[in-house]
Amino acid sequence: MTDLVTFGETMALFSARRTGPLRYARDFDLGLGGAESNVAIGVARLGAAATWVGRVGADEFGDLIEQTLRGEGVDVRAIRDGSAPTGLMIKGRRTADLIDVRYYRRDSAGSHLCPEDLDLSLVRASRVLHVSAITPALSASARSAVAVALAAAREAGVFVSLDVNYRRALWSPAEAGDWLRSVIGSVDVLFATEHEARLITDDPEKLDVPHVVLKFGAQGAMELSGGVVRRAEPYRVTEVDPVGAGDAFAAGWLAEWLAGASPEVRLSTACAAGAFAVTSQGDWESLPRRADLALLTGGADGVSR
């Protein structure tokens, strides 16, 4: 049994070490990145059991993804696809304040995800199914996999989490909005920026979802649940790399929901996890553990001893 099941595409990530146009980059760090696997790592670091399912190529990058996730304590169900490569993500810093992210995922192993790849007994036995709107945008088979998983979760009474995670390179706002509206009735918690929520409706506060969690970046966050609006102030940190902050936020909220925490604690931990995520290079490397959470509020001199 696992606390949280999630599935989607995780890619090999090359991050340029120098600032400027990518064509001038000569040195890169190699890692991995994927919205759903980021959430799985974040939840695992905060003490819950997380399972990630996905397709990877039968290549070195697939090995990297599987080994790294296992090393982070995630239960990995990796399907090796010998007919397609692991997708690539290239990240550069065009200026000191502008991140340039490019995806090479067309016909990748991850885009071949299909319903047959899912162990529905695992979904039914979990406490949370977490999906993002990236996965249904990858391919028709991946969209079918999401539909099958959502149906299994609803039938079993599993809590369903959806992060909009809109990617304009994958589908148009109209396409994304149509799909989101078609599944919103199966969702228990929706994570979105205000702009993403408006893909679904002009008034996000009227969404018929038990928990609507809106992220405002440096302005904090808001949760609407049970007819009550709760707000959380952001943590002030020095931002190094903003990619992955939304995944960290979702992981923090879900870990506290699994722990039975109050709405106030859920939001506070979500904001803290998001703050930690932006403090170093990489999509997930700075995700906090339980002992780290107090670091944002203690030690006025900025030294941990």
Side-chain angles (χ1 to χ4, degrees):
M1 182 175 293
T2 188
D3 291 319
L4 178 141
V5 172
T6 188
F7 61 93
E9 181 173 34
T10 296
M11 295 164 285
L13 168 59
F14 286 88
S15 300
R17 291 180 175 176
R18 64 179 291 174
T19 300
L22 277 170
R23 62 181 176 272
Y24 298 124
R26 299 295 179 267
D27 297 311
F28 292 83
D29 290 317
L30 173 61
L32 59 90
E36 299 82 8
S37 57
N38 291 345
V39 170
I41 293 172
V43 166
R45 285 193 177 182
L46 290 171
T51 298
W52 174 83
V53 181
R55 278 184 175 259
V56 296
D59 50 35
E60 288 288 326
F61 298 142
D63 292 342
L64 170 69
I65 290 167
E66 188 167 357
Q67 292 174 10
T68 302
L69 293 179
R70 291 192 192 283
E72 286 295 327
V74 175
D75 175 28
V76 178
R77 309 294 177 94
I79 298 96
R80 292 300 185 118
D81 189 334
S83 66
T86 302
L88 297 181
M89 177 178 174
I90 314 295
K91 185 192 298 183
R93 189 175 289 274
R94 182 61 180 82
T95 70
D97 301 313
L98 178 61
I99 301 293
D100 178 13
V101 182
R102 298 167 187 264
Y103 300 95
Y104 298 87
R105 66 199 322 173
R106 184 182 297 276
D107 294 324
S108 66
S111 72
H112 291 176
L113 187 76
C114 63
E116 292 73 25
D117 293 332
L118 304 180
D119 180 352
L120 295 182
S121 64
L122 181 68
V123 172
R124 296 186 184 104
S126 67
R127 298 174 61 194
V128 174
L129 171 68
H130 176 74
V131 298
S132 86
I134 294 173
T135 305
L138 294 176
S139 65
S141 65
R143 188 175 302 192
S144 295
V146 175
V148 168
L150 289 176
R154 297 315 294 171
E155 180 184 359
V158 174
F159 189 89
V160 174
S161 164
L162 170 62
D163 193 337
V164 174
N165 250 325
Y166 176 64
R167 297 290 186 269
R168 66 176 181 270
L170 293 176
W171 53 1
S172 70
E175 291 172 318
D178 286 345
W179 182 83
L180 288 163
R181 283 186 291 273
S182 75
V183 302
I184 200 69
S186 299
V187 173
D188 293 296
V189 59
L190 176 75
F191 298 102
T193 65
E194 191 170 15
H195 173 72
E196 289 173 336
R198 293 187 185 281
L199 294 172
I200 309 170
T201 176
D202 290 334
D203 190 352
E205 293 190 21
K206 291 185 178 179
L207 281 167
D208 187 19
V209 178
H211 306 276
V212 176
V213 184
L214 298 180
K215 302 169 287 184
F216 303 120
Q219 282 69 53
M222 180 190 84
E223 177 180 341
L224 173 62
S225 56
V228 179
V229 175
R230 298 174 176 87
R231 298 183 183 274
E233 294 298 316
Y235 290 90
R236 302 300 177 186
V237 296
T238 300
E239 181 181 294
V240 176
D241 183 351
V243 179
D247 304 328
F249 181 97
W253 193 98
L254 290 168
E256 294 294 18
W257 185 89
L258 287 163
S262 68
E264 291 78 14
V265 171
R266 292 196 300 253
L267 268 185
S268 178
T269 298
C271 287
F276 270 106
V278 306
T279 58
S280 74
Q281 295 284 357
D283 281 26
W284 55 269
E285 285 82 348
S286 283
L287 291 170
R289 292 178 169 83
R290 285 282 174 189
D292 296 326
L293 295 176
L295 296 176
L296 293 180
T297 57
D301 61 357
V303 179
S304 176
R305 300 181 190 275

